Structure formats: structure tokens, C-alpha cells
């Protein structure tokens, strides 16, 4: 099912680091390059009729100044560097001059520019409820970045600098009981201080809950996330951050663990749930071959337990470096319990280990899968939903490994995906699978042509489909997540199919209607709205020329009305649909009324008669879209009114236009919802005939609630309404959802907690977050 998906995104600089690609839970692909981290955000845009993927591109630039690790006072460090560089002992002087940790700026060597590795946090960590990006530069600077306004990345904290300060205060000892080490002037001590703070890899844990004691001794649950950082000497620093992560002030603690592994190369979290008890640990791999799990003792984290001692998964020092580790939680169908599958790339082989807890204790099954690649594996990625693992070597061959459980352990079925059949002859540098397993992203350059290497390399990120439309649709219908934004890769496959075929497949329509009848979830209504909007876009005729170029209306009218020109059906369509197509591309999905354009096209078509059915179809789809939008609005209004009723003693305490929302819900005679009527009855009883209307801030006139999108006072002042609380946004600054469906106001300090909670919600039409 591997099919090429356009467009291919060309990188401005060459890919760098061992695993240059990472795909976040909120559908952003980070690519480590020699000058920046390119971030490609995938959108499933309902307002675009183009069949290509919609990709929003930003970048995290590399710092201009080289990172120098803190190993002591500046003056003393400068003297030591001069002493080692001019040492008569060549083992000292050469080791010092050639070591890039000591000399990141290069001098006689080329400077260390670019990124070594990037890692995405789970969803819900930044101020917008999205993913944070941890970035590690070639010169050992570890920073955390957030994309708060969608255009610009902001550095929140420099962890290398903070960790260096901590070590300096502690005298470069892990605990106070440690014996004091040598002086900085001793070369081994100089090396030790650098290796204990030079990061190799970093990985995020899942979101966990901690308890915070307030001033009045009440406990409240606070979300937190852990970032484990593996250093060259084998130590692991575990940072704990309170959510949402805002910067230095959100750091709760930092603990250092000694792993005891020499030449560590890779790191991964092991998180296991057994009988509602969560266990965690860190899987560490070595450049010499061994793999083991290190216990992590999590203080103040609810429901977490840890191993009593390290568990060795592979102990042979066979000189096969561990390049990548993935840990996948699965359900064992025969043992009827959850288990963990640990997969590691070791040279050209894949090492796997199955971990499950039974009455006898922790069971460990391990083995190797051989014969996959003739060259070493350069990149490995895994689909966490079904456990499928993808490996690739530099010759453009990708292997898909599907785990199949047996009575005792498991076996792998593997299939070859030849990228040369999709992209032509290419060399691969990294792969990453999308969160729901619909796409594979690949960093490629030109392969050999006629036995010769290319003169210059063009680095590109290309996309391949891994699922069919039917599989994507079935997964969306049976989704446990029930959130369209979190399944953008699947919705994009569905969007592509509808835009190509210009209709919604019958099986999908029937299955969705059954779900809507049998289940009250608004998720299926939002899915239906998504399908109708895409169908509407597919019916539009694309503009015949570039939309930004000024048009010459007179010339067009003459051509279309000219008696000799309208002979073919295509020409008639082009002439009659000028008006509709021009307006359709940007505005149709945003609720723009198309009656005018329909009348224009009917008027232009004259005797042709070919456009009338199309216009009727468009009007019919538009009516369906408005009906579904109204249903979703009413359901959200009920939720808002429920919050108002629960959280206010008398409703004047709330700034939400309660009376207006009640009247709006009851204004349609055809709308008969017993729940809404009972709720409104209780609220009106509480209000006791009082109205508490909103007032225009410009002229102090009353703002009536006649429209869910905007409020207009008697003097004609227009204010847009917040789609989360239905208040009028009477300020110049407000937020918009990712797909520009709706607007929301900013929370203010005087807002009660329940209104702030409402304002954190996603878009009620497309599930996307609000910026």
C-alpha cells in the first residue's frame, strides 16, 4: 500500500545526527539539520481544495555562539586549556586538541554546527496544550523550545547551563558523601567533569500526576512530565517539570542516577501498567552491545512503583552498538495481560525483548531478528498503536516488522518496502511513522546513477502512505481517542480520497449514520461535518489562474458570453463557474453563504443547463453543513449552561450571556431536547426574571444574543462572539483555532476557575487547539 504523497519538502541544509527525524503526537515532524531544526506541521485543511498534503513550515535556529561546558572558574579553565594544548606529552595534547567536547568552536577544526538529536514531549505540555521540543546541538547544548504563536519558536530553558551550575555548586560530586576528586589541572579530572555533563540522548516520559500541598493543607493534583538526559559517563539526570511548562520556574526537581554502563549510546523510557500499578524505568543501550533497565525512583508521583534492581536485557559485549531503542506497550492475547515489547537496532540486526509480569515475577524473553538488511540499520521507528516496527538502511530499503504473539513469546513477520519503487533510486538517512500509523516520513538524497554517486546532494523529506483509505476510515470510526485533531494523519487520507473521487463512499456514510444514531457522542457529528466540508471543496471548480493575480473582469465576460466559444462542456463549465470558484477556495468552509454565487452562475449559464444540478448539490451540502454546525453549537451551549448552573449561586456572578443563550436554544420550534428544556427551566428559576445583558463597550447599548458568531448593538457596532463561552470579545486581541473555524477570547485574571477551564477547550467543530 506504499504510495507517494505530495509534496516533497526540500531542506535548506543537510540532515545531521543519528536519528534526524521525529514525529510528535500533535503531527509535527522535526528534522535535525546542520543549521536548524526544520519543523513541518501537517494540517488537514477543510478550506483547501488541493489534493496535496497541507504542511506549515517553521524552524528552530541553532544558537550563534558555541556552547562551553562549565567545569570550573573561567580563569582557571583558560589556564588549563593552554597547559593541555601545549603539553609535551602527545597523548594529552592531541587528545585535547581533537576532542570536540573540549573544543566545540573548532579553531583549526571545522566548528560544530547543527543538531545531534531532537525529542518531542507528550501532548499537553506547553501553554497551548501541545508538545514541547527538546533539542540537543552538536556542541552539547540541551534546550527546550515551545511554539506558542505558530510562527516563532521560543527557547524556554537551557538545561546544559542549569545542570552545569548545579554541578559547580556540588563540587562536581553526585552526593555530599563522595570523596573529593582531583584538581582541574589533572587531565583525567578535566575529562571527567566534561563527560559528566555532555549529553548523548534525552527522552520524555509520559505525563504523570503529582500531589501538591497548598497553604491551607489541601492537596491538589498537578500534571508533571519527566525528561531523562543520558550523559557520556553513563549518568542519567531526570528532570521533573510541572505542567504547563513555562520555563525555569516550572522545574520541580533534578535527580542524577548512575547507570554503570560504559560508552552509553541510547536511552528510552520503560513504562508498564500491571493491575493499576504503574512501573517505570530507563532502558539504556551501550556502544559495546549491552542493554539494561535502570530503576527510577519517582518521588511524589501518584501510583508509580519502580524495580528493586537493574534488569539486564542483553549482557554480551559483542561490539554491536545499540543505535536506537523503542519500547511499545502491548496486550498479550494468550496471557491475558499487558506487556512491553522492547526493540533495539544493533548493527544490521533487530534485538527484541518481551517483558511481562506474572505471579512468578518479571518474565524476560529475548532474541534477535536477522537477515533484514545487508547494511547497518540507520533509523528505526514504531507505530505505538499496533506494535509495528519499521527499520531502514541507507540503501533505500525499509522493513516492516509485525509482531505476532505465540503461546510462549512472539515472532515477527517482515515485509520489504522498496522506496526505489516509490521515489526512484534514493539514499535514506532517517524515517519516522505518524502517530496513527498512516504515513511514513523519509529523509532522502539522490542515489547512485549508472554506478556513479551524485555530484551534489539535495536533502528532502518525502511521505509514503502506509494505510489504505478503508483502513483509515475504519480506524476513525472505532477510535477510542474521539478527537479529529489527534488523528490528522488518518483524516488527511480520508480527505485525499474524497477530493479525488468527489463523493463520500457509501459504506462510510452508512457506518457514520449508524454511529450517530446509536451513540450520543459529538465526535461523530464533528466527523460528519469534516466529510461534508471536504465534499463541498471537491465540488468546487479550481480557479483557472493564480488567485493572487489581479483579474480582468471585462475580458472574461466577453469570452464567456461570446456566441462562438461555448461549444464544449469544459468551456461552458469554465465560463459559468468563474464567480463560484473564485469565492470558494478561501471562504466556503467558513460558513459563507453561497446563494449569491449560485444565482450568478445560474444567470451566466443561460441555456446550457449543465450547472443547475451542481448548484443544487452545492446548496444541499451547504444546508447539511449548517445543520450539523447548529447541532454541535447547541450541544456545546448545553455544556456551557450546565457549568453556569453548577458554579454560580446567582447567575449575575457570571459574565456569560446566560439569558441570551437560553433564548437562542428555545427560539427554534423544531428543536425539542428534554435535557435542554429541564436545564433552562432550572436556570431561569434561579435568575428570577432578571436578564443581566451584555453592553457594548463603545456606546453602552445592550448587545442582544441573536447570532452565535457575532453581536451587533443598536448603533451598528459589531463584536465577534467567543465560541467557547459565547461572550462578546470586546478587545482587539483574541485567539483563533488552528483551522480558523472560530475565535475565542483570552482568559482574564478575574475569571473564575470554571470559565478558565472552558476557555482551555478545543474547537467545537474541528477539535483543533486555539492560539
Amino acid at each position: 500500500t506504499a504510495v507517494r504523497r505530495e509534496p516533497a519538502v526540500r531542506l535548506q541544509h543537510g540532515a545531521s545526527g543519528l536519528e534526524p527525524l521525529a514525529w510528535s503526537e500533535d503531527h509535527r515532524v522535526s528534522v535535525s539539520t546542520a543549521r536548524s531544526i526544520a519543523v513541518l506541521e501537517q494540517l488537514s485543511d477543510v478550506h483547501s481544495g488541493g489534493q496535496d498534503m497541507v504542511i506549515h513550515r517553521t524552524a528552530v535556529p541553532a544558537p550563534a555562539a558555541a556552547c562551553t561546558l562549565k567545569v570550573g572558574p573561567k580563569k582557571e579553565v583558560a589556564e588549563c586549556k593552554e597547559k593541555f594544548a601545549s603539553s609535551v606529552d602527545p597523548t594529552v595534547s592531541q587528545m585535547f586538541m581533537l576532542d570536540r567536547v573540549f573544543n566545540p568552536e573548532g579553531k583549526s577544526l571545522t566548528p560544530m554546527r547543527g543538531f545531534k538529536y531532537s525529542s518531542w514531549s507528550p501532548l499537553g505540555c506547553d501553554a497551548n496544550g501541545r508538545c514541547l521540543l527538546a533539542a540537543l546541538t552538536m556542541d552539547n547544548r540541551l534546550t527546550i523550545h515551545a511554539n506558542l504563536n505558530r510562527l516563532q519558536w521560543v527557547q524556554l530553558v537551557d538545561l546544559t547551563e542549569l545542570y552545569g551550575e548545579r554541578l559547580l555548586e556540588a563540587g562536581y560530586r553526585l552526593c555530599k558523601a563522595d570523596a573529593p576528586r582531583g584538581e582541574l589541572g589533572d587531565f583525567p579530572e578535566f575529562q571527567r567533569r566534561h563527560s559528566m555533563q555532555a549529553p548523548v540522548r534525552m527522552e520524555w516520559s509520559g505525563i504523570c500526576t503529582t500531589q501538591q500541598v497548598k497553604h491551607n493543607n489541601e492537596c491538589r493534583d498537578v500534571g508533571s512530565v519527566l525528561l531523562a538526559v543520558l550523559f557520556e559517563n553513563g549518568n542519567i539526570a531526570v528532570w521533573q517539570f510541572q505542567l504547563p511548562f513555562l520555563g525555569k520556574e516550572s522545574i520541580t526537581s533534578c535527580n542524577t542516577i548512575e547507570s554503570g554502563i560504559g560508552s552509553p549510546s541510547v536511552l528510552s523510557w520503560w513504562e508498564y501498567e500491571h493491575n493499576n500499578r504503574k512501573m517505570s524505568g530507563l532502558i539504556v543501550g551501550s556502544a559495546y552491545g549491552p542493554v539494561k533497565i535502570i530503576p527510577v525512583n519517582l518521588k511524589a508521583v501518584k501510583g508509580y512503583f519502580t524495580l528493586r534492581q537493574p534488569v539486564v536485557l542483553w549482557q554480551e559485549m559483542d561490539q554491536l552498538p545499540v543505535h536506537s531503542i523503542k519500547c511499545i506497550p502491548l496486550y498479550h492475547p494468550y496471557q491475558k495481560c499487558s506487556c512491553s515489547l522492547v526493540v533495539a537496532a544493533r548493527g544490521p540486526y533487530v534485538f527484541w525483548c518481551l517483558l511481562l509480569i506474572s505471579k512468578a515475577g518479571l518474565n524476560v524473553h529475548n532474541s534477535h531478528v536477522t537477515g533484514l538488511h545487508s547494511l547497518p540499520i540507520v533509523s528505526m521507528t514504531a507505530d505505538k498503536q499496533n506494535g509495528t516496527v519499521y527499520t531502514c538502511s541507507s540503501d533505500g530499503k525499509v522493513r516492516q516488522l509485525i509482531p505476532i504473539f505465540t503461546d510462549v513469546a512472539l515472532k515477527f513477520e517482515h515485509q520489504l518496502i522498496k522506496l526505489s519503487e516509490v521515489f526512484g533510486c534514493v539514499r535514506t538517512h532517517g524515517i519516522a511513522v505518524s502517530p496513527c500509523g498512516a504515513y511514513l516520513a523519509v529523509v532522502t538524497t539522490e542515489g547512485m546513477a549508472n554506478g556513479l554517486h551524485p555530484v551534489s546532494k539535495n536533502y528532502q523529506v518525502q511521505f509514503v502512505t502506509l494505510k489504505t483509505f478503508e483502513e483509515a476510515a475504519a480506524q476513525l470510526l472505532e477510535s477510542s481517542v474521539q478527537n479529529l485533531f489527534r488523528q490528522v494523519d488518518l483524516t488527511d487520507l480520508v480527505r485525499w480520497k474524497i477530493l479525488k473521487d468527489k463523493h463520500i463512499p457509501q459504506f462510510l456514510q452508512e457506518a457514520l449514520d449508524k454511529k450517530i444514531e446509536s451513540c450520543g457522542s459529538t465526535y461523530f457529528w464533528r466527523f460528519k461535518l469534516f466529510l461534508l466540508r471536504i465534499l463541498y471543496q471537491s465540488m468546487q471548480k479550481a480557479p483557472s489562474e493564480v488567485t493572487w493575480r489581479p483579474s480582468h473582469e471585462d475580458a472574461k465576460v466577453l469570452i464567456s458570453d461570446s456566441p462562438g466559444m461555448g461549444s464544449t462542456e469544459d468551456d461552458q463549465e469554465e465560463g459559468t463557474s468563474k464567480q463560484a470558484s473564485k469565492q470558494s477556495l478561501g471562504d466556503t468552509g467558513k460558513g459563507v453563504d453561497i446563494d449569491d454565487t449560485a444565482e450568478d452562475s445560474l444567470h451566466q449559464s443561460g441555456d446550457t443547463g449543465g450547472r443547475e444540478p451542481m448548484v443544487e448539490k452545492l446548496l444541499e451540502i451547504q444546508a447539511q453543513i449548517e445543520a450539523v454546525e447548529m447541532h454541535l453549537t447547541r450541544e456545546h451551549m448545553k455544556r456551557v449552561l450546565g457549568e453556569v448552573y453548577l458554579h454560580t449561586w446567582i447567575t449575575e456572578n457570571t459574565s456569560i450571556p446566560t439569558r441570551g443563550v437560553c433564548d437562542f436554544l428555545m427560539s427554534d420550534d423544531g428543536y425539542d431536547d428534554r435535557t435542554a428544556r429541564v436545564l433552562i427551566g432550572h436556570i431561569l428559576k434561579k435568575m428570577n426574571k432578571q436578564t443581566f445583558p451584555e453592553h457594548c463597550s463603545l456606546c453602552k447599548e445592550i448587545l442582544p444574543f441573536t447570532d452565535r458568531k457575532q453581536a451587533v448593538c443598536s448603533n451598528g457596532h459589531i463584536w465577534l462572539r467567543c465560541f467557547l463561552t459565547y461572550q462578546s470579545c470586546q478587545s482587539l486581541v483574541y485567539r483563533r483555532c488552528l483551522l480558523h473555524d472560530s475565535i475565542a477570547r483570552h482568559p482574564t485574571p478575574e475569571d473564575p476557575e470554571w470559565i478558565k477551564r472552558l476557555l482551555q477547550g478545543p474547537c467545537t467543530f474541528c477539535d483543533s487547539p486555539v492560539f
Side-chain angles (χ1 to χ4, degrees):
T1 58
V3 179
R4 183 177 184 158
R5 189 80 169 91
E6 295 293 347
V9 181
R10 186 169 172 178
L11 299 173
Q12 293 171 315
H13 306 285
S16 64
L18 288 172
E19 287 272 2
L21 269 185
W23 205 318
S24 73
E25 286 178 22
D26 61 353
H27 304 279
R28 292 185 284 191
V29 184
S30 63
V31 195
S32 303
T33 73
R35 290 291 181 274
S36 64
I37 293 179
V39 182
L40 315 175
E41 181 175 0
Q42 184 190 1
L43 300 175
S44 192
D45 195 353
V46 291
H47 308 309
S48 164
Q51 289 185 23
D52 287 357
M53 283 173 80
V54 181
I55 292 171
H56 179 259
R57 183 170 176 167
T58 49
V60 181
C67 173
T68 307
L69 300 177
K70 287 183 179 174
V71 292
K74 277 187 180 179
K75 190 178 177 185
E76 194 181 339
V77 170
E79 287 170 2
C80 289
K81 283 187 173 184
E82 200 173 316
K83 171 186 159 187
F84 298 140
S86 57
S87 172
V88 290
D89 184 353
T91 57
V92 173
S93 60
Q94 288 187 20
M95 196 181 288
F96 173 79
M97 294 302 289
L98 294 174
D99 195 313
R100 301 315 301 270
V101 178
F102 305 148
N103 298 298
E105 64 278 353
K107 294 183 180 171
S108 56
L109 305 168
T110 54
M112 293 284 280
R113 291 296 303 273
F115 286 86
K116 191 189 294 186
Y117 190 64
S118 65
S119 176
W120 290 99
S121 77
L123 196 63
C125 289
D126 77 354
N128 290 324
R130 301 193 72 186
C131 300
L132 296 164
L133 180 64
L136 177 60
T137 60
M138 286 288 190
D139 57 6
N140 299 303
R141 191 194 301 270
L142 174 58
T143 49
I144 296 176
H145 301 260
N147 176 214
L148 300 174
N149 60 5
R150 293 204 65 232
L151 296 176
Q152 182 184 11
W153 286 86
V154 179
Q155 180 182 308
L156 298 178
V157 70
D158 184 337
L159 291 181
T160 299
E161 187 180 338
L162 289 182
Y163 195 67
E165 287 171 4
R166 282 170 177 260
L167 288 175
L168 185 64
E169 287 170 14
Y172 298 92
R173 291 179 293 175
L174 288 184
C175 60
K176 290 174 183 176
D178 284 359
R181 301 293 181 126
E183 295 297 318
L184 186 61
D186 302 335
F187 192 59
E189 174 64 11
F190 189 78
Q191 283 178 304
R192 187 187 78 87
R193 290 190 186 184
H194 276 89
S195 68
M196 73 189 299
Q197 54 180 314
V200 176
R201 288 279 178 101
M202 65 285 174
E203 293 295 342
W204 297 89
S205 73
I207 291 177
C208 46
T209 310
T210 55
Q211 279 199 333
Q212 190 181 59
V213 182
K214 297 202 289 191
H215 296 299
N216 57 358
N217 285 337
E218 277 184 20
C219 282
R220 74 180 182 116
D221 290 347
V222 177
S224 65
V225 70
L226 305 167
L227 180 69
V229 185
L230 178 66
F231 295 104
E232 277 187 1
N233 68 342
N235 288 352
I236 302 167
V238 180
W239 295 86
Q240 186 173 6
F241 305 127
Q242 189 176 315
L243 299 180
F245 183 72
L246 305 171
K248 201 172 175 179
E249 64 275 13
S250 300
I251 297 172
T252 310
S253 65
C254 176
N255 299 308
T256 304
I257 305 165
E258 292 184 77
S259 72
I261 283 192
S263 291
S265 59
V266 67
L267 177 76
S268 180
W269 278 94
W270 176 63
E271 291 174 318
Y272 184 88
E273 193 164 339
H274 174 67
N275 291 345
N276 296 324
R277 287 161 65 98
K278 292 177 182 175
M279 300 194 72
S280 67
L282 284 162
I283 310 166
V284 184
S286 166
Y288 298 139
V291 181
K292 72 177 180 179
I293 303 179
I294 310 297
V296 179
N297 190 16
L298 302 177
K299 293 174 183 173
V301 177
K302 285 174 68 180
Y304 269 83
F305 298 85
T306 190
L307 299 165
R308 288 197 183 95
Q309 57 196 22
V311 176
V312 178
L313 305 182
W314 184 255
Q315 62 182 2
E316 301 296 328
M317 301 277 279
D318 49 17
Q319 305 300 315
L320 280 176
V322 184
H323 169 262
S324 178
I325 294 178
K326 302 292 174 196
C327 184
I328 308 156
L330 293 173
Y331 180 77
H332 201 301
Y334 298 108
Q335 302 288 338
K336 300 283 189 292
C337 67
S338 56
C339 59
S340 292
L341 174 62
V342 177
V343 187
R346 301 179 72 242
Y349 312 125
V350 168
F351 165 77
W352 64 265
C353 183
L354 187 68
L355 299 160
L356 60 96
I357 295 173
S358 66
K359 289 174 184 175
L362 182 66
N363 294 338
V364 179
H365 302 274
N366 61 17
S367 184
H368 280 80
V369 184
T370 58
L372 295 173
H373 297 278
S374 54
L375 292 170
I377 293 167
V378 294
S379 187
M380 183 173 76
T381 183
D383 180 355
K384 293 282 178 79
Q385 295 197 332
N386 57 15
T388 306
V389 177
Y390 298 89
T391 60
C392 88
S393 53
S394 59
D395 56 2
K397 288 178 183 170
V398 175
R399 284 275 180 183
Q400 181 187 38
L401 285 84
I402 302 160
I404 294 165
F405 284 96
T406 61
D407 290 342
V408 181
L410 54 77
K411 61 180 181 179
F412 284 94
E413 266 189 11
H414 45 91
Q415 300 168 354
L416 178 65
I417 302 172
K418 280 189 180 176
L419 294 179
S420 56
E421 293 174 1
V422 186
F423 304 129
C425 184
V426 289
R427 183 182 172 93
T428 44
H429 301 272
I431 56 172
V433 71
S434 64
C436 299
Y439 288 115
L440 187 75
V442 193
V443 177
T444 63
T445 52
E446 294 87 349
M448 292 177 71
N450 301 323
L452 298 171
H453 287 285
V455 177
S456 61
K457 288 182 181 179
N458 291 312
Y459 286 84
Q460 287 185 313
V461 180
Q462 310 210 53
F463 296 92
V464 177
T465 62
L466 296 174
K467 280 185 162 64
T468 60
F469 160 74
E470 289 76 14
E471 288 170 326
Q475 201 170 327
L476 283 164
L477 286 169
E478 300 302 325
S479 165
S480 59
V481 178
Q482 300 220 336
N483 184 298
L484 291 175
F485 170 71
R486 291 184 67 173
Q487 304 173 92
V488 161
D489 49 342
L490 296 174
T491 58
D492 189 71
L493 273 180
V494 172
R495 171 182 170 272
W496 188 27
K497 173 78 172 174
I498 293 171
L499 287 171
K500 277 198 296 187
D501 296 352
K502 299 191 185 305
H503 78 276
I504 301 169
Q506 190 67 28
F507 85 91
L508 180 55
Q509 270 187 326
E510 289 171 2
L512 189 55
D513 290 341
K514 274 185 190 172
K515 288 279 185 187
I516 286 171
E517 281 174 27
S518 62
C519 170
S521 170
T522 54
Y523 164 73
F524 297 109
W525 285 91
R526 289 193 296 275
F527 189 22
K528 183 177 183 177
L529 177 63
F530 170 80
L531 295 177
L532 288 170
R533 286 167 154 187
I534 299 304
L535 179 63
Y536 190 94
Q537 288 298 333
S538 72
M539 296 287 181
Q540 301 293 326
K541 189 166 175 65
S544 55
E545 58 182 51
V546 186
T547 47
W548 51 262
R549 194 173 289 150
S551 57
H552 304 287
E553 292 296 333
D554 296 339
K556 282 185 188 170
V557 170
L558 285 169
I559 291 168
S560 62
D561 290 348
S562 149
M565 293 300 288
S567 55
T568 67
E569 191 176 331
D570 287 347
D571 289 339
Q572 288 170 5
E573 280 196 4
E574 182 146 342
T576 55
S577 66
K578 287 286 182 196
Q579 290 292 109
S581 66
K582 251 181 280 167
Q583 201 163 358
S584 69
L585 257 187
D587 297 332
T588 47
K590 300 174 190 173
V592 171
D593 197 12
I594 61 153
D595 289 346
D596 298 339
T597 56
E599 283 173 14
D600 286 351
S601 56
L602 276 170
H603 177 71
Q604 282 187 7
S605 64
D607 299 329
T608 59
R611 298 301 292 167
E612 285 190 34
M614 179 60 79
V615 169
E616 283 175 16
K617 182 77 176 166
L618 284 171
L619 289 169
E620 183 189 327
I621 296 167
Q622 184 71 24
Q624 286 179 300
I625 288 171
E626 285 170 3
V628 176
E629 282 185 354
M630 184 55 77
H631 175 84
L632 288 169
T633 300
R634 283 172 176 154
E635 288 301 306
H636 187 66
M637 280 180 171
K638 277 159 60 179
R639 188 188 157 214
V640 172
L641 289 177
E643 293 282 339
V644 169
Y645 182 70
L646 285 175
H647 292 97
T648 52
W649 292 106
I650 51 168
T651 44
E652 68 180 324
N653 289 343
T654 174
S655 53
I656 286 175
T658 311
R659 173 77 69 172
V661 173
C662 292
D663 292 346
F664 183 85
L665 273 177
M666 293 292 99
S667 60
D668 186 1
D669 298 329
Y671 177 63
D672 187 24
D673 186 330
R674 190 170 179 277
T675 313
R677 289 190 182 278
V678 170
L679 179 63
I680 288 168
H682 284 308
I683 286 173
L684 294 182
K685 196 185 234 180
K686 194 183 247 190
M687 289 183 77
N688 193 21
K689 296 183 182 178
Q690 296 179 83
T691 54
F692 309 118
E694 289 182 295
H695 291 274
C696 174
S697 62
L698 295 177
C699 62
K700 307 303 179 200
E701 289 293 322
I702 287 175
L703 285 171
F705 196 106
T706 52
D707 185 359
R708 61 192 168 90
K709 289 184 178 177
Q710 61 183 28
V712 187
C713 75
S714 56
N715 289 326
H717 299 132
I718 300 173
W719 302 106
L720 295 172
R721 284 202 178 277
C722 167
F723 76 96
L724 291 170
T725 61
Y726 300 105
Q727 295 162 297
S728 55
C729 298
Q730 300 196 40
S731 65
L732 296 176
V733 182
Y734 51 80
R735 302 177 296 151
R736 293 193 81 167
C737 81
L738 191 65
L739 297 184
H740 290 184
D741 263 331
S742 12
I743 69 138
R745 71 178 184 84
H746 283 276
T748 57
E750 55 268 17
D751 283 335
E753 283 299 317
W754 62 274
I755 286 190
K756 286 178 181 172
R757 198 169 59 248
L758 273 176
L759 290 170
Q760 286 172 355
C763 177
T764 50
F765 297 141
C766 62
D767 283 332
S768 63
V770 186
F771 294 89

